[in-house]
Amino acid sequence: MTGRAVTSLSNPTVKAVRALHLRKDRDATGLFVAEGLKTVTEGVETGRAPRILLHGAEAGDHPLMIKAIEATLAGRGEVIEVTPEILAKVSRRDNPQAVVGVFAQVFTPLGALEPQAAACWVALHRVRDPGNLGTIVRTADAAGCGAVILVGECCDPYSVEAVRATMGSIFAVPLVKASEAEFAAWRNDWPGCVVGTLLSAEADHRQAAYVRPTLVLMGNEQQGLPADMAALCDVNVKIPMRGRADSLNLAVATGIMIYAAT
Ligand code: SAM
């Protein structure tokens, strides 16, 4: 017995999952949508049981799917077989993934971070683009960063777009939310160096002394890092640009900084 079958778009669970495309519904429920068997499996393997698991008929007997179903049922979650039409509506895609999991959001408190646990940590000031944020979480995971800290008003790391861009790393990297004031106060006790990134900086990013643990601070896509945030850093650096581009994409710049610091 794996669960029940649903064919109606007006089913209340299906409607609730579709509503998780909206930030207000994610904020109200503390839930988010993870699409695809790979991402759902990442969640299950990191000990997070889906609250709801929707799947197409053909996905039901894949060995990883069986594990995901077992984890969902063990956590008292709901497993529902749905039609391709429902999967398309839930994903807002013509070619949806055959599996969709709904998981609880997790945020780590700033004060719970242990700076010595990783060589590099990432702080993003007012990141706006979910694709950038998801790509940065994926890169932070790949490089073994300690956390991604969202400073000030940021886009939602648990939006469907951001989660897609993480390619499963959404479950692997601690996410932290902090106001500018909280971050400024917490940064005072940082045992390593805090490296800001500024287009106007004199120092080349390759010349900075990355005293570990290194905390890399990145600016917003439009405005960059404001003066008060740059002033919190031990050093501000620039990644050289040799062509006509006036800046790098935020996620690309973050990737370069993470790997320079590790
Ligand atoms: N107009 C913005 C500005 O003046 O900073 C451009 C922001 S850029 C698209 C977004 C962020 O990526 C920047 O705040 C910085 O953190 C990082 N960044 C992009 N290019 C960079 C570079 N060449 N050197 C250092 N950081 C860079």
Side-chain angles (χ1 to χ4, degrees):
M1 158 67 183
T2 58
R4 61 200 169 99
V6 162
T7 55
S8 167
L9 278 168
S10 56
N11 171 271
T13 304
V14 170
K15 281 167 81 173
V17 178
R18 289 180 69 190
L20 294 174
H21 276 268
L22 299 175
R23 187 166 191 168
K24 75 173 174 55
D25 284 85
R26 290 193 302 276
D27 288 348
T29 58
L31 300 174
F32 74 100
V33 168
E35 299 162 302
L37 188 54
K38 177 188 182 297
T39 298
V40 168
T41 298
E42 286 296 321
V44 170
E45 287 184 350
T46 53
R48 314 260 289 271
R51 300 285 181 86
I52 302 168
L53 194 62
L54 305 182
H55 67 90
E58 74 286 3
D61 47 9
H62 189 289
L64 292 176
M65 188 63 206
I66 291 168
K67 281 191 178 171
I69 290 172
E70 284 171 357
T72 309
L73 296 177
R76 297 181 167 273
E78 206 178 348
V79 179
I80 306 179
E81 184 184 312
V82 293
T83 60
E85 186 199 9
I86 291 178
L87 285 170
K89 290 285 183 193
V90 164
S91 297
R92 299 190 182 173
R93 283 187 158 179
D94 290 339
N95 294 310
Q97 300 268 4
V99 184
V100 170
V102 172
F103 291 84
Q105 301 176 20
V106 175
F107 287 101
T108 302
L110 196 54
L113 298 182
E114 293 179 15
Q116 302 296 353
C120 184
W121 301 70
V122 180
L124 306 174
H125 185 238
R126 298 192 181 181
V127 56
R128 278 282 174 275
D129 183 278
N132 279 343
L133 177 49
T135 303
I136 290 167
V137 170
R138 180 181 179 185
T139 309
D141 177 20
C145 293
V148 172
I149 303 164
L150 304 170
V151 183
E153 203 178 299
C154 290
C155 62
D156 183 4
Y158 287 110
S159 70
V160 174
E161 297 77 12
V163 172
R164 271 179 197 153
T166 71
M167 296 294 290
S169 294
I170 188 70
F171 297 104
V173 180
L175 299 172
V176 181
K177 286 196 279 197
S179 68
E180 280 95 345
E182 287 165 344
F183 178 78
W186 172 82
R187 173 267 170 276
N188 283 333
D189 294 327
W190 187 256
C193 69
V194 181
V195 180
T197 48
L198 277 184
L199 297 180
S200 58
E202 303 267 305
D204 184 306
H205 79 294
R206 291 164 299 192
Q207 263 85 62
Y210 294 99
V211 179
R212 293 180 175 182
T214 303
L215 175 58
V216 172
L217 178 57
M218 308 300 299
N220 160 278
E221 289 92 338
Q222 278 81 41
Q223 279 84 42
L225 208 55
D228 57 342
M229 296 301 293
L232 296 174
C233 300
D234 297 308
V235 60
N236 284 286
V237 300
K238 178 177 182 175
I239 303 163
M241 289 180 296
R242 303 193 178 87
R244 289 183 54 80
D246 58 11
S247 68
L248 291 159
N249 163 275
L250 170 62
V252 170
T254 308
I256 292 170
M257 290 303 301
I258 287 173
Y259 277 96
T262 50

